[in-house]
Every structure is written in C-alpha cells, then in structure tokens.
Amino acid sequence: MKRIFNWQVNLSITLIALSAALYYLHYFAFHDSHHIFIYLIGDIAFVPIEVLLVTVIIHRVLSVREKRAMLEKLNMVIGAFFSETGSKLLGDFTEFDANIDDVREKLAVDNSWSSERFDEIRKLLKNEEYFIDIRKGNLQGLRDFLTTQKTFLLSLLANPNLLEHDSFTDLLWAVFHLMEELIHREDVTTLPDSDLDHIKGGYPSSICGSGLRVA
C-alpha cells in the first residue's frame, strides 16, 4: 500500500513539473504571461465541468450499462440453476410439505393466467406457512439427486455475478447446505431420530419460503 502511494506521489510531482516546464518554455519563446494566464485560468475553470461530465454523467451511463449486462448474465445463471436443479428440487420438496394439498390446485398454471394472476400467486406463496415433515418424503432420492448436482452447484457458487443477487445467493447456499447434510450420511433411509431431527431443524428456509415451519 505504501509503495502504491509513493508511486502516485512521484507521478503527480512529475506531471506538475512537466506542466511547469512547458509553461516556462511557452513564456521563454513568446514572453507573453498574459496569454498564458488567460488559458490557464480558462482551463482550470473548465475542470469542474469536466469532472461533472466524466465522473457523474458518463460514469453513470457506463455503470447502468454494465449493471444491465451483469443482470442479464445473472438471469442466465438463475435460469441454468432452475433448468438443471431448481425445478426438480421444487417438485421433490412438495413431498415434504404436509400442507401441499392446500395450495396444489392454486398452482395449476394454464394459458389463461395473466400477469396479475402470477403476482397474486407470488404473494400467496411468499406468505404461505410451510409445514415440513422430514419423514414424509423420499429423502434417499433427494440425496441421490443432490449428489449428482454437486459439481454444478459448486460452479454456480464460483460465479462472481451472484454478488449482485443476495436472495439467489442465499438460496444457493441453502441448497448446498442441505446437500452437504445428506451426502455426509451414507444411508438416509436408516437414520436415527436424532439425525432426522437435526436435518429437520436445519432445513433451509430460503428454499421453502419465509413462512417455514417444521413438524
């Protein structure tokens, strides 16, 4: 850090000295200090406008374009997750929801659904209370599937674009945590109640929604 600071100081001194030398050369050649100060003050007066153009307007435009491109890449990452892993997991998780029958009929999507209907269902799912019964679903099948997805999930976690989407990052960590819990148990069909209660208690709420409850 100190070396970088010294390099910046040396560069600043060199540039100032070079500018002073050029102004002196101009005065030596034309002996017109009035002309020098007119352009010097004019250039200094334009500096705030130049800062405005570069740091505020141009930088903001470039930042917006860069963020838009990053979000497009992030949407591709999210789409890949649900295509390869997420959609299957959502189907598997319904087996563990003791109240899935209460919302199953409401999730039957057809061509008549409008954007308002999707917004209504999104709010419904967000406020839904999920009662998870870890003994109800196919825990072995879930473990086997997540085992095949480990490399893919690790590659997603390594993607720097995820830093722009906290909720999806939390979701990914939740899935990864569940995968680790299951993979470290060789046979989940014969787990003692203590292990089942541990998995149940650590069941990632980011997967199921904000209203998670376990049974």
PDB file of all heavy atoms in Angstrom, residues 121-140:
ATOM      1  N   ILE A 121     -50.361 -15.143  -7.088  1.00  0.00           N
ATOM      2  CA  ILE A 121     -49.815 -16.412  -6.606  1.00  0.00           C
ATOM      3  C   ILE A 121     -48.461 -16.211  -5.947  1.00  0.00           C
ATOM      4  O   ILE A 121     -48.129 -16.853  -4.944  1.00  0.00           O
ATOM      5  CB  ILE A 121     -49.711 -17.418  -7.760  1.00  0.00           C
ATOM      6  CG1 ILE A 121     -51.114 -17.778  -8.273  1.00  0.00           C
ATOM      7  CG2 ILE A 121     -48.984 -18.675  -7.333  1.00  0.00           C
ATOM      8  CD1 ILE A 121     -52.003 -18.413  -7.222  1.00  0.00           C
ATOM      9  N   ARG A 122     -47.666 -15.280  -6.479  1.00  0.00           N
ATOM     10  CA  ARG A 122     -46.365 -14.991  -5.879  1.00  0.00           C
ATOM     11  C   ARG A 122     -46.543 -14.480  -4.442  1.00  0.00           C
ATOM     12  O   ARG A 122     -45.805 -14.891  -3.531  1.00  0.00           O
ATOM     13  CB  ARG A 122     -45.616 -13.962  -6.725  1.00  0.00           C
ATOM     14  CG  ARG A 122     -44.194 -13.699  -6.238  1.00  0.00           C
ATOM     15  CD  ARG A 122     -43.492 -12.664  -7.080  1.00  0.00           C
ATOM     16  NE  ARG A 122     -43.319 -13.103  -8.454  1.00  0.00           N
ATOM     17  CZ  ARG A 122     -43.957 -12.583  -9.492  1.00  0.00           C
ATOM     18  NH1 ARG A 122     -44.817 -11.589  -9.309  1.00  0.00           N
ATOM     19  NH2 ARG A 122     -43.750 -13.030 -10.706  1.00  0.00           N
ATOM     20  N   LYS A 123     -47.495 -13.598  -4.235  1.00  0.00           N
ATOM     21  CA  LYS A 123     -47.764 -13.094  -2.887  1.00  0.00           C
ATOM     22  C   LYS A 123     -48.289 -14.204  -1.991  1.00  0.00           C
ATOM     23  O   LYS A 123     -47.941 -14.272  -0.802  1.00  0.00           O
ATOM     24  CB  LYS A 123     -48.771 -11.945  -2.964  1.00  0.00           C
ATOM     25  CG  LYS A 123     -48.250 -10.697  -3.653  1.00  0.00           C
ATOM     26  CD  LYS A 123     -49.324  -9.611  -3.722  1.00  0.00           C
ATOM     27  CE  LYS A 123     -48.796  -8.374  -4.448  1.00  0.00           C
ATOM     28  NZ  LYS A 123     -49.859  -7.341  -4.566  1.00  0.00           N
ATOM     29  N   LEU A 124     -49.118 -15.081  -2.565  1.00  0.00           N
ATOM     30  CA  LEU A 124     -49.655 -16.195  -1.790  1.00  0.00           C
ATOM     31  C   LEU A 124     -48.543 -17.112  -1.301  1.00  0.00           C
ATOM     32  O   LEU A 124     -48.501 -17.491  -0.119  1.00  0.00           O
ATOM     33  CB  LEU A 124     -50.650 -16.991  -2.649  1.00  0.00           C
ATOM     34  CG  LEU A 124     -51.165 -18.305  -2.052  1.00  0.00           C
ATOM     35  CD1 LEU A 124     -52.050 -18.017  -0.842  1.00  0.00           C
ATOM     36  CD2 LEU A 124     -51.936 -19.117  -3.101  1.00  0.00           C
ATOM     37  N   LEU A 125     -47.623 -17.461  -2.189  1.00  0.00           N
ATOM     38  CA  LEU A 125     -46.530 -18.356  -1.821  1.00  0.00           C
ATOM     39  C   LEU A 125     -45.570 -17.692  -0.840  1.00  0.00           C
ATOM     40  O   LEU A 125     -44.989 -18.359   0.021  1.00  0.00           O
ATOM     41  CB  LEU A 125     -45.781 -18.809  -3.072  1.00  0.00           C
ATOM     42  CG  LEU A 125     -46.577 -19.667  -4.061  1.00  0.00           C
ATOM     43  CD1 LEU A 125     -45.727 -19.996  -5.280  1.00  0.00           C
ATOM     44  CD2 LEU A 125     -47.061 -20.944  -3.395  1.00  0.00           C
ATOM     45  N   LYS A 126     -45.397 -16.397  -0.987  1.00  0.00           N
ATOM     46  CA  LYS A 126     -44.489 -15.685  -0.094  1.00  0.00           C
ATOM     47  C   LYS A 126     -45.015 -15.679   1.332  1.00  0.00           C
ATOM     48  O   LYS A 126     -44.240 -15.744   2.302  1.00  0.00           O
ATOM     49  CB  LYS A 126     -44.298 -14.248  -0.596  1.00  0.00           C
ATOM     50  CG  LYS A 126     -43.290 -13.447   0.222  1.00  0.00           C
ATOM     51  CD  LYS A 126     -43.086 -12.063  -0.376  1.00  0.00           C
ATOM     52  CE  LYS A 126     -42.065 -11.267   0.431  1.00  0.00           C
ATOM     53  NZ  LYS A 126     -41.844  -9.910  -0.148  1.00  0.00           N
ATOM     54  N   ASN A 127     -46.327 -15.597   1.483  1.00  0.00           N
ATOM     55  CA  ASN A 127     -46.937 -15.530   2.810  1.00  0.00           C
ATOM     56  C   ASN A 127     -47.381 -16.896   3.322  1.00  0.00           C
ATOM     57  O   ASN A 127     -47.902 -16.994   4.439  1.00  0.00           O
ATOM     58  CB  ASN A 127     -48.139 -14.584   2.784  1.00  0.00           C
ATOM     59  CG  ASN A 127     -47.751 -13.154   2.440  1.00  0.00           C
ATOM     60  OD1 ASN A 127     -46.707 -12.675   2.869  1.00  0.00           O
ATOM     61  ND2 ASN A 127     -48.574 -12.468   1.656  1.00  0.00           N
ATOM     62  N   GLU A 128     -47.187 -17.923   2.528  1.00  0.00           N
ATOM     63  CA  GLU A 128     -47.619 -19.268   2.916  1.00  0.00           C
ATOM     64  C   GLU A 128     -46.738 -19.807   4.044  1.00  0.00           C
ATOM     65  O   GLU A 128     -45.526 -19.568   4.095  1.00  0.00           O
ATOM     66  CB  GLU A 128     -47.543 -20.204   1.708  1.00  0.00           C
ATOM     67  CG  GLU A 128     -47.984 -21.625   1.978  1.00  0.00           C
ATOM     68  CD  GLU A 128     -49.482 -21.752   2.159  1.00  0.00           C
ATOM     69  OE1 GLU A 128     -50.212 -20.801   1.776  1.00  0.00           O
ATOM     70  OE2 GLU A 128     -49.915 -22.797   2.655  1.00  0.00           O
ATOM     71  N   GLU A 129     -47.341 -20.553   4.953  1.00  0.00           N
ATOM     72  CA  GLU A 129     -46.605 -21.236   6.005  1.00  0.00           C
ATOM     73  C   GLU A 129     -46.378 -22.679   5.572  1.00  0.00           C
ATOM     74  O   GLU A 129     -47.337 -23.405   5.289  1.00  0.00           O
ATOM     75  CB  GLU A 129     -47.345 -21.185   7.335  1.00  0.00           C
ATOM     76  CG  GLU A 129     -47.395 -19.796   7.946  1.00  0.00           C
ATOM     77  CD  GLU A 129     -48.001 -19.817   9.346  1.00  0.00           C
ATOM     78  OE1 GLU A 129     -48.859 -20.676   9.597  1.00  0.00           O
ATOM     79  OE2 GLU A 129     -47.601 -18.978  10.161  1.00  0.00           O
ATOM     80  N   TYR A 130     -45.101 -23.074   5.514  1.00  0.00           N
ATOM     81  CA  TYR A 130     -44.744 -24.406   5.032  1.00  0.00           C
ATOM     82  C   TYR A 130     -44.436 -25.315   6.221  1.00  0.00           C
ATOM     83  O   TYR A 130     -43.522 -25.046   6.991  1.00  0.00           O
ATOM     84  CB  TYR A 130     -43.531 -24.317   4.098  1.00  0.00           C
ATOM     85  CG  TYR A 130     -43.792 -23.484   2.871  1.00  0.00           C
ATOM     86  CD1 TYR A 130     -43.541 -22.106   2.887  1.00  0.00           C
ATOM     87  CD2 TYR A 130     -44.283 -24.061   1.709  1.00  0.00           C
ATOM     88  CE1 TYR A 130     -43.789 -21.335   1.767  1.00  0.00           C
ATOM     89  CE2 TYR A 130     -44.530 -23.293   0.584  1.00  0.00           C
ATOM     90  CZ  TYR A 130     -44.289 -21.930   0.624  1.00  0.00           C
ATOM     91  OH  TYR A 130     -44.532 -21.160  -0.491  1.00  0.00           O
ATOM     92  N   PHE A 131     -45.213 -26.380   6.348  1.00  0.00           N
ATOM     93  CA  PHE A 131     -45.022 -27.333   7.438  1.00  0.00           C
ATOM     94  C   PHE A 131     -44.236 -28.524   6.899  1.00  0.00           C
ATOM     95  O   PHE A 131     -44.770 -29.343   6.145  1.00  0.00           O
ATOM     96  CB  PHE A 131     -46.375 -27.778   7.998  1.00  0.00           C
ATOM     97  CG  PHE A 131     -47.140 -26.672   8.671  1.00  0.00           C
ATOM     98  CD1 PHE A 131     -47.951 -25.820   7.933  1.00  0.00           C
ATOM     99  CD2 PHE A 131     -47.031 -26.465  10.039  1.00  0.00           C
ATOM    100  CE1 PHE A 131     -48.648 -24.797   8.551  1.00  0.00           C
ATOM    101  CE2 PHE A 131     -47.723 -25.436  10.652  1.00  0.00           C
ATOM    102  CZ  PHE A 131     -48.531 -24.600   9.915  1.00  0.00           C
ATOM    103  N   ILE A 132     -42.971 -28.595   7.260  1.00  0.00           N
ATOM    104  CA  ILE A 132     -42.077 -29.614   6.718  1.00  0.00           C
ATOM    105  C   ILE A 132     -42.040 -30.837   7.627  1.00  0.00           C
ATOM    106  O   ILE A 132     -41.749 -30.726   8.818  1.00  0.00           O
ATOM    107  CB  ILE A 132     -40.652 -29.049   6.543  1.00  0.00           C
ATOM    108  CG1 ILE A 132     -40.676 -27.849   5.606  1.00  0.00           C
ATOM    109  CG2 ILE A 132     -39.709 -30.125   6.017  1.00  0.00           C
ATOM    110  CD1 ILE A 132     -41.246 -28.149   4.236  1.00  0.00           C
ATOM    111  N   ASP A 133     -42.364 -31.993   7.039  1.00  0.00           N
ATOM    112  CA  ASP A 133     -42.256 -33.270   7.732  1.00  0.00           C
ATOM    113  C   ASP A 133     -41.136 -34.061   7.049  1.00  0.00           C
ATOM    114  O   ASP A 133     -41.310 -34.583   5.957  1.00  0.00           O
ATOM    115  CB  ASP A 133     -43.579 -34.037   7.664  1.00  0.00           C
ATOM    116  CG  ASP A 133     -43.552 -35.325   8.480  1.00  0.00           C
ATOM    117  OD1 ASP A 133     -42.468 -35.683   8.979  1.00  0.00           O
ATOM    118  OD2 ASP A 133     -44.613 -35.960   8.607  1.00  0.00           O
ATOM    119  N   ILE A 134     -39.968 -34.136   7.700  1.00  0.00           N
ATOM    120  CA  ILE A 134     -38.791 -34.729   7.081  1.00  0.00           C
ATOM    121  C   ILE A 134     -38.958 -36.221   6.827  1.00  0.00           C
ATOM    122  O   ILE A 134     -38.268 -36.814   5.989  1.00  0.00           O
ATOM    123  CB  ILE A 134     -37.553 -34.468   7.974  1.00  0.00           C
ATOM    124  CG1 ILE A 134     -36.254 -34.623   7.187  1.00  0.00           C
ATOM    125  CG2 ILE A 134     -37.563 -35.388   9.186  1.00  0.00           C
ATOM    126  CD1 ILE A 134     -36.068 -33.590   6.114  1.00  0.00           C
ATOM    127  N   ARG A 135     -39.903 -36.875   7.526  1.00  0.00           N
ATOM    128  CA  ARG A 135     -40.108 -38.315   7.370  1.00  0.00           C
ATOM    129  C   ARG A 135     -41.120 -38.640   6.273  1.00  0.00           C
ATOM    130  O   ARG A 135     -41.339 -39.811   5.952  1.00  0.00           O
ATOM    131  CB  ARG A 135     -40.581 -38.926   8.697  1.00  0.00           C
ATOM    132  CG  ARG A 135     -39.556 -38.825   9.823  1.00  0.00           C
ATOM    133  CD  ARG A 135     -40.152 -39.219  11.164  1.00  0.00           C
ATOM    134  NE  ARG A 135     -39.143 -39.190  12.230  1.00  0.00           N
ATOM    135  CZ  ARG A 135     -38.758 -38.106  12.853  1.00  0.00           C
ATOM    136  NH1 ARG A 135     -39.286 -36.923  12.512  1.00  0.00           N
ATOM    137  NH2 ARG A 135     -37.840 -38.162  13.808  1.00  0.00           N
ATOM    138  N   LYS A 136     -41.726 -37.628   5.707  1.00  0.00           N
ATOM    139  CA  LYS A 136     -42.799 -37.865   4.749  1.00  0.00           C
ATOM    140  C   LYS A 136     -42.297 -38.126   3.342  1.00  0.00           C
ATOM    141  O   LYS A 136     -42.844 -38.951   2.615  1.00  0.00           O
ATOM    142  CB  LYS A 136     -43.751 -36.649   4.738  1.00  0.00           C
ATOM    143  CG  LYS A 136     -44.937 -36.820   3.804  1.00  0.00           C
ATOM    144  CD  LYS A 136     -45.816 -35.577   3.824  1.00  0.00           C
ATOM    145  CE  LYS A 136     -46.986 -35.743   2.852  1.00  0.00           C
ATOM    146  NZ  LYS A 136     -47.837 -34.531   2.817  1.00  0.00           N
ATOM    147  N   GLY A 137     -41.236 -37.423   2.911  1.00  0.00           N
ATOM    148  CA  GLY A 137     -40.771 -37.509   1.530  1.00  0.00           C
ATOM    149  C   GLY A 137     -39.687 -38.549   1.323  1.00  0.00           C
ATOM    150  O   GLY A 137     -39.297 -39.292   2.232  1.00  0.00           O
ATOM    151  N   ASN A 138     -39.199 -38.598   0.077  1.00  0.00           N
ATOM    152  CA  ASN A 138     -38.147 -39.548  -0.324  1.00  0.00           C
ATOM    153  C   ASN A 138     -36.785 -38.906  -0.080  1.00  0.00           C
ATOM    154  O   ASN A 138     -36.203 -38.294  -0.976  1.00  0.00           O
ATOM    155  CB  ASN A 138     -38.334 -39.928  -1.788  1.00  0.00           C
ATOM    156  CG  ASN A 138     -37.309 -40.954  -2.252  1.00  0.00           C
ATOM    157  OD1 ASN A 138     -36.539 -41.490  -1.453  1.00  0.00           O
ATOM    158  ND2 ASN A 138     -37.304 -41.225  -3.550  1.00  0.00           N
ATOM    159  N   LEU A 139     -36.274 -39.076   1.123  1.00  0.00           N
ATOM    160  CA  LEU A 139     -35.010 -38.449   1.496  1.00  0.00           C
ATOM    161  C   LEU A 139     -33.836 -39.062   0.731  1.00  0.00           C
ATOM    162  O   LEU A 139     -32.887 -38.366   0.366  1.00  0.00           O
ATOM    163  CB  LEU A 139     -34.792 -38.588   3.003  1.00  0.00           C
ATOM    164  CG  LEU A 139     -33.917 -37.523   3.682  1.00  0.00           C
ATOM    165  CD1 LEU A 139     -34.507 -36.137   3.451  1.00  0.00           C
ATOM    166  CD2 LEU A 139     -33.789 -37.808   5.172  1.00  0.00           C
ATOM    167  N   GLN A 140     -33.898 -40.368   0.474  1.00  0.00           N
ATOM    168  CA  GLN A 140     -32.822 -41.020  -0.269  1.00  0.00           C
ATOM    169  C   GLN A 140     -32.774 -40.526  -1.711  1.00  0.00           C
ATOM    170  O   GLN A 140     -31.696 -40.269  -2.261  1.00  0.00           O
ATOM    171  CB  GLN A 140     -33.018 -42.542  -0.246  1.00  0.00           C
ATOM    172  CG  GLN A 140     -31.933 -43.342  -0.955  1.00  0.00           C
ATOM    173  CD  GLN A 140     -30.567 -43.194  -0.292  1.00  0.00           C
ATOM    174  OE1 GLN A 140     -30.467 -43.268   0.929  1.00  0.00           O
ATOM    175  NE2 GLN A 140     -29.526 -42.984  -1.083  1.00  0.00           N
TER     176      GLN A 140
END
